[in-house]
PDB file of all heavy atoms in Angstrom:
ATOM      1  N   ALA A  18      37.935  -3.157  47.724  1.00 98.00           N
ATOM      2  CA  ALA A  18      36.805  -2.205  47.749  1.00 98.00           C
ATOM      3  C   ALA A  18      37.316  -0.886  47.562  1.00 98.00           C
ATOM      4  O   ALA A  18      38.167  -0.364  48.270  1.00 98.00           O
ATOM      5  CB  ALA A  18      36.133  -2.315  49.159  1.00 98.00           C
ATOM      6  N   ALA A  19      36.898  -0.222  46.457  1.00 97.00           N
ATOM      7  CA  ALA A  19      37.369   1.137  46.102  1.00 97.00           C
ATOM      8  C   ALA A  19      36.291   2.188  46.365  1.00 97.00           C
ATOM      9  O   ALA A  19      35.134   2.016  45.985  1.00 97.00           O
ATOM     10  CB  ALA A  19      37.755   1.178  44.617  1.00 97.00           C
ATOM     11  N   TYR A  20      36.696   3.253  47.016  1.00 96.00           N
ATOM     12  CA  TYR A  20      35.756   4.270  47.400  1.00 96.00           C
ATOM     13  C   TYR A  20      35.942   5.493  46.478  1.00 96.00           C
ATOM     14  O   TYR A  20      37.109   6.002  46.359  1.00 96.00           O
ATOM     15  CB  TYR A  20      35.847   4.674  48.833  1.00 96.00           C
ATOM     16  CG  TYR A  20      34.839   5.663  49.158  1.00 96.00           C
ATOM     17  CD1 TYR A  20      33.460   5.434  49.154  1.00 96.00           C
ATOM     18  CD2 TYR A  20      35.195   7.044  49.537  1.00 96.00           C
ATOM     19  CE1 TYR A  20      32.504   6.388  49.464  1.00 96.00           C
ATOM     20  CE2 TYR A  20      34.269   7.988  49.851  1.00 96.00           C
ATOM     21  CZ  TYR A  20      32.921   7.686  49.820  1.00 96.00           C
ATOM     22  OH  TYR A  20      31.981   8.635  50.098  1.00 96.00           O
ATOM     23  N   ILE A  21      34.891   6.018  45.918  1.00 94.00           N
ATOM     24  CA  ILE A  21      34.951   7.142  45.000  1.00 94.00           C
ATOM     25  C   ILE A  21      33.958   8.152  45.566  1.00 94.00           C
ATOM     26  O   ILE A  21      32.832   7.784  45.967  1.00 94.00           O
ATOM     27  CB  ILE A  21      34.504   6.770  43.562  1.00 94.00           C
ATOM     28  CG1 ILE A  21      35.508   5.810  42.954  1.00 94.00           C
ATOM     29  CG2 ILE A  21      34.223   7.995  42.717  1.00 94.00           C
ATOM     30  CD1 ILE A  21      35.056   5.208  41.636  1.00 94.00           C
ATOM     31  N   ARG A  22      34.413   9.423  45.666  1.00 90.00           N
ATOM     32  CA  ARG A  22      33.509  10.515  46.140  1.00 90.00           C
ATOM     33  C   ARG A  22      33.836  11.722  45.317  1.00 90.00           C
ATOM     34  O   ARG A  22      35.034  12.085  45.153  1.00 90.00           O
ATOM     35  CB  ARG A  22      33.644  10.762  47.590  1.00 90.00           C
ATOM     36  CG  ARG A  22      32.679  11.850  48.101  1.00 90.00           C
ATOM     37  CD  ARG A  22      32.904  12.189  49.576  1.00 90.00           C
ATOM     38  NE  ARG A  22      34.300  12.642  49.871  1.00 90.00           N
ATOM     39  CZ  ARG A  22      34.696  13.882  49.694  1.00 90.00           C
ATOM     40  NH1 ARG A  22      33.854  14.806  49.181  1.00 90.00           N
ATOM     41  NH2 ARG A  22      35.944  14.214  49.952  1.00 90.00           N
ATOM     42  N   VAL A  23      32.808  12.428  44.851  1.00 85.00           N
ATOM     43  CA  VAL A  23      32.910  13.750  44.380  1.00 85.00           C
ATOM     44  C   VAL A  23      31.920  14.645  45.106  1.00 85.00           C
ATOM     45  O   VAL A  23      30.845  14.179  45.421  1.00 85.00           O
ATOM     46  CB  VAL A  23      32.647  13.813  42.841  1.00 85.00           C
ATOM     47  CG1 VAL A  23      33.766  13.197  42.056  1.00 85.00           C
ATOM     48  CG2 VAL A  23      31.309  13.326  42.412  1.00 85.00           C
ATOM     49  N   SER A  24      32.337  15.824  45.533  1.00 81.00           N
ATOM     50  CA  SER A  24      31.630  16.623  46.411  1.00 81.00           C
ATOM     51  C   SER A  24      30.545  17.454  45.794  1.00 81.00           C
ATOM     52  O   SER A  24      29.537  17.775  46.407  1.00 81.00           O
ATOM     53  CB  SER A  24      32.581  17.637  47.165  1.00 81.00           C
ATOM     54  OG  SER A  24      33.559  16.916  47.812  1.00 81.00           O
ATOM     55  N   THR A  25      30.756  17.840  44.498  1.00 69.00           N
ATOM     56  CA  THR A  25      29.799  18.780  43.886  1.00 69.00           C
ATOM     57  C   THR A  25      29.308  18.335  42.529  1.00 69.00           C
ATOM     58  O   THR A  25      29.892  17.434  41.887  1.00 69.00           O
ATOM     59  CB  THR A  25      30.486  20.139  43.667  1.00 69.00           C
ATOM     60  OG1 THR A  25      31.590  19.993  42.755  1.00 69.00           O
ATOM     61  CG2 THR A  25      31.110  20.704  44.965  1.00 69.00           C
ATOM     62  N   GLU A  26      28.188  18.958  42.082  1.00 69.00           N
ATOM     63  CA  GLU A  26      27.696  18.620  40.769  1.00 69.00           C
ATOM     64  C   GLU A  26      28.681  19.044  39.695  1.00 69.00           C
ATOM     65  O   GLU A  26      28.835  18.340  38.689  1.00 69.00           O
ATOM     66  CB  GLU A  26      26.389  19.419  40.553  1.00 69.00           C
ATOM     67  CG  GLU A  26      25.209  18.806  41.262  1.00 69.00           C
ATOM     68  CD  GLU A  26      24.822  17.412  40.717  1.00 69.00           C
ATOM     69  OE1 GLU A  26      24.984  17.147  39.477  1.00 69.00           O
ATOM     70  OE2 GLU A  26      24.333  16.608  41.491  1.00 69.00           O
ATOM     71  N   GLN A  27      29.467  20.113  39.959  1.00 67.00           N
ATOM     72  CA  GLN A  27      30.469  20.538  39.042  1.00 67.00           C
ATOM     73  C   GLN A  27      31.554  19.458  38.857  1.00 67.00           C
ATOM     74  O   GLN A  27      31.927  19.164  37.756  1.00 67.00           O
ATOM     75  CB  GLN A  27      31.137  21.847  39.420  1.00 67.00           C
ATOM     76  CG  GLN A  27      32.218  22.308  38.465  1.00 67.00           C
ATOM     77  CD  GLN A  27      32.804  23.653  38.843  1.00 67.00           C
ATOM     78  OE1 GLN A  27      32.386  24.337  39.712  1.00 67.00           O
ATOM     79  NE2 GLN A  27      33.864  24.010  38.106  1.00 67.00           N
ATOM     80  N   GLN A  28      32.008  18.893  39.918  1.00 74.00           N
ATOM     81  CA  GLN A  28      33.020  17.783  39.870  1.00 74.00           C
ATOM     82  C   GLN A  28      32.407  16.588  39.112  1.00 74.00           C
ATOM     83  O   GLN A  28      33.096  15.937  38.347  1.00 74.00           O
ATOM     84  CB  GLN A  28      33.452  17.392  41.205  1.00 74.00           C
ATOM     85  CG  GLN A  28      34.369  18.357  41.928  1.00 74.00           C
ATOM     86  CD  GLN A  28      34.748  17.876  43.308  1.00 74.00           C
ATOM     87  OE1 GLN A  28      33.924  17.267  44.011  1.00 74.00           O
ATOM     88  NE2 GLN A  28      35.887  18.277  43.773  1.00 74.00           N
ATOM     89  N   LYS A  29      31.163  16.335  39.296  1.00 69.00           N
ATOM     90  CA  LYS A  29      30.473  15.270  38.594  1.00 69.00           C
ATOM     91  C   LYS A  29      30.413  15.544  37.140  1.00 69.00           C
ATOM     92  O   LYS A  29      30.838  14.710  36.280  1.00 69.00           O
ATOM     93  CB  LYS A  29      29.064  15.102  39.093  1.00 69.00           C
ATOM     94  CG  LYS A  29      28.236  14.036  38.357  1.00 69.00           C
ATOM     95  CD  LYS A  29      26.897  13.975  38.934  1.00 69.00           C
ATOM     96  CE  LYS A  29      26.007  13.001  38.134  1.00 69.00           C
ATOM     97  NZ  LYS A  29      24.627  12.976  38.579  1.00 69.00           N
ATOM     98  N   GLU A  30      30.105  16.845  36.716  1.00 66.00           N
ATOM     99  CA  GLU A  30      30.066  17.193  35.349  1.00 66.00           C
ATOM    100  C   GLU A  30      31.440  17.144  34.698  1.00 66.00           C
ATOM    101  O   GLU A  30      31.596  16.909  33.478  1.00 66.00           O
ATOM    102  CB  GLU A  30      29.479  18.555  35.163  1.00 66.00           C
ATOM    103  CG  GLU A  30      27.982  18.545  35.522  1.00 66.00           C
ATOM    104  CD  GLU A  30      27.385  19.990  35.635  1.00 66.00           C
ATOM    105  OE1 GLU A  30      28.072  20.949  35.239  1.00 66.00           O
ATOM    106  OE2 GLU A  30      26.204  20.071  36.084  1.00 66.00           O
ATOM    107  N   GLU A  31      32.489  17.405  35.458  1.00 72.00           N
ATOM    108  CA  GLU A  31      33.858  17.340  34.992  1.00 72.00           C
ATOM    109  C   GLU A  31      34.435  15.964  35.017  1.00 72.00           C
ATOM    110  O   GLU A  31      35.628  15.738  34.732  1.00 72.00           O
ATOM    111  CB  GLU A  31      34.722  18.297  35.863  1.00 72.00           C
ATOM    112  CG  GLU A  31      34.390  19.729  35.725  1.00 72.00           C
ATOM    113  CD  GLU A  31      35.063  20.620  36.705  1.00 72.00           C
ATOM    114  OE1 GLU A  31      35.695  20.148  37.679  1.00 72.00           O
ATOM    115  OE2 GLU A  31      34.920  21.842  36.616  1.00 72.00           O
ATOM    116  N   ASP A  32      33.584  14.975  35.355  1.00 78.00           N
ATOM    117  CA  ASP A  32      33.975  13.548  35.343  1.00 78.00           C
ATOM    118  C   ASP A  32      35.091  13.196  36.342  1.00 78.00           C
ATOM    119  O   ASP A  32      35.868  12.255  36.079  1.00 78.00           O
ATOM    120  CB  ASP A  32      34.443  13.092  33.916  1.00 78.00           C
ATOM    121  CG  ASP A  32      33.198  12.937  33.008  1.00 78.00           C
ATOM    122  OD1 ASP A  32      32.108  12.782  33.481  1.00 78.00           O
ATOM    123  OD2 ASP A  32      33.463  13.077  31.764  1.00 78.00           O
ATOM    124  N   SER A  33      35.147  13.864  37.419  1.00 82.00           N
ATOM    125  CA  SER A  33      36.131  13.575  38.474  1.00 82.00           C
ATOM    126  C   SER A  33      35.991  12.139  38.949  1.00 82.00           C
ATOM    127  O   SER A  33      36.947  11.384  39.203  1.00 82.00           O
ATOM    128  CB  SER A  33      35.940  14.512  39.663  1.00 82.00           C
ATOM    129  OG  SER A  33      36.869  14.104  40.688  1.00 82.00           O
ATOM    130  N   HIS A  34      34.713  11.670  39.058  1.00 88.00           N
ATOM    131  CA  HIS A  34      34.476  10.253  39.569  1.00 88.00           C
ATOM    132  C   HIS A  34      34.988   9.272  38.487  1.00 88.00           C
ATOM    133  O   HIS A  34      35.454   8.198  38.786  1.00 88.00           O
ATOM    134  CB  HIS A  34      33.001  10.067  39.810  1.00 88.00           C
ATOM    135  CG  HIS A  34      32.105  10.314  38.686  1.00 88.00           C
ATOM    136  ND1 HIS A  34      31.956  11.557  38.072  1.00 88.00           N
ATOM    137  CD2 HIS A  34      31.254   9.457  38.049  1.00 88.00           C
ATOM    138  CE1 HIS A  34      31.031  11.432  37.109  1.00 88.00           C
ATOM    139  NE2 HIS A  34      30.607  10.203  37.089  1.00 88.00           N
ATOM    140  N   VAL A  35      34.893   9.622  37.231  1.00 90.00           N
ATOM    141  CA  VAL A  35      35.383   8.754  36.149  1.00 90.00           C
ATOM    142  C   VAL A  35      36.889   8.606  36.246  1.00 90.00           C
ATOM    143  O   VAL A  35      37.470   7.476  36.114  1.00 90.00           O
ATOM    144  CB  VAL A  35      34.924   9.270  34.767  1.00 90.00           C
ATOM    145  CG1 VAL A  35      35.609   8.417  33.677  1.00 90.00           C
ATOM    146  CG2 VAL A  35      33.370   9.233  34.629  1.00 90.00           C
ATOM    147  N   ARG A  36      37.542   9.742  36.487  1.00 92.00           N
ATOM    148  CA  ARG A  36      39.063   9.663  36.629  1.00 92.00           C
ATOM    149  C   ARG A  36      39.479   8.918  37.833  1.00 92.00           C
ATOM    150  O   ARG A  36      40.464   8.113  37.801  1.00 92.00           O
ATOM    151  CB  ARG A  36      39.615  11.097  36.618  1.00 92.00           C
ATOM    152  CG  ARG A  36      39.546  11.793  35.211  1.00 92.00           C
ATOM    153  CD  ARG A  36      40.313  13.036  35.228  1.00 92.00           C
ATOM    154  NE  ARG A  36      39.869  14.038  36.226  1.00 92.00           N
ATOM    155  CZ  ARG A  36      38.787  14.873  36.083  1.00 92.00           C
ATOM    156  NH1 ARG A  36      38.033  14.738  35.010  1.00 92.00           N
ATOM    157  NH2 ARG A  36      38.491  15.684  37.085  1.00 92.00           N
ATOM    158  N   GLN A  37      38.741   9.019  38.934  1.00 92.00           N
ATOM    159  CA  GLN A  37      39.097   8.233  40.118  1.00 92.00           C
ATOM    160  C   GLN A  37      38.890   6.762  39.877  1.00 92.00           C
ATOM    161  O   GLN A  37      39.739   5.934  40.194  1.00 92.00           O
ATOM    162  CB  GLN A  37      38.072   8.648  41.268  1.00 92.00           C
ATOM    163  CG  GLN A  37      38.407   9.991  41.904  1.00 92.00           C
ATOM    164  CD  GLN A  37      37.417  10.331  43.015  1.00 92.00           C
ATOM    165  OE1 GLN A  37      37.368   9.570  43.949  1.00 92.00           O
ATOM    166  NE2 GLN A  37      36.652  11.401  42.889  1.00 92.00           N
TER     167      GLN A  37
END
Side-chain angles (χ1 to χ4, degrees):
Y20 182 67
I21 294 171
R22 181 183 61 79
V23 294
S24 303
T25 65
E26 284 294 327
Q27 180 179 352
Q28 287 177 328
K29 178 182 175 183
E30 291 169 10
E31 294 171 351
D32 288 335
S33 175
H34 59 297
V35 173
R36 289 189 303 280
Q37 289 179 57

